[in-house]
Amino acid sequence: MTLDTKFDEILEFPCYQTFKVMGVADPSLPEIVISCLQKHAPGDYSPTIKPSSKGNYHSLSLKVKVTSKDQMETIYTEISSLELVRFVL
């Protein structure tokens, strides 16, 4: 699946991008997201985790150094495909 984004027109690479991941409030969510992220942008990640008001979902914020439009699109696609993940912004 190819995304039709304009990242290369808006951003200058390399740069840091904050990814917001919303998923099911499962204790393994941060570990699963970081594991996927390590495949595409290895680094030391410490996500900020915020629970939803009812506690059913968690929001993770991760600051990632990205080097290209293709890398950003791959990260969005791969994290979005994880079973526990509902949205990636």
Side-chain angles (χ1 to χ4, degrees), residues 8-70:
D8 55 339
E9 296 173 16
I10 301 169
L11 302 171
E12 254 186 67
F13 295 100
C15 65
Y16 283 93
Q17 183 66 35
T18 300
F19 288 82
K20 300 247 184 202
V21 180
M22 278 145 280
V24 177
D26 186 293
S28 64
L29 178 65
E31 180 183 329
I32 291 169
V33 170
I34 290 171
S35 176
C36 180
L37 192 54
Q38 290 290 1
K39 295 175 190 173
H40 305 289
D44 185 23
Y45 299 106
S46 298
T48 302
I49 304 169
K50 294 182 181 178
S52 65
S53 60
K54 293 184 181 178
N56 296 327
Y57 298 96
H58 282 168
S59 170
L60 282 68
S61 295
L62 301 116
K63 193 171 187 176
V64 180
K65 184 174 185 178
V66 291
T67 57
S68 69
K69 171 187 172 178
D70 291 338

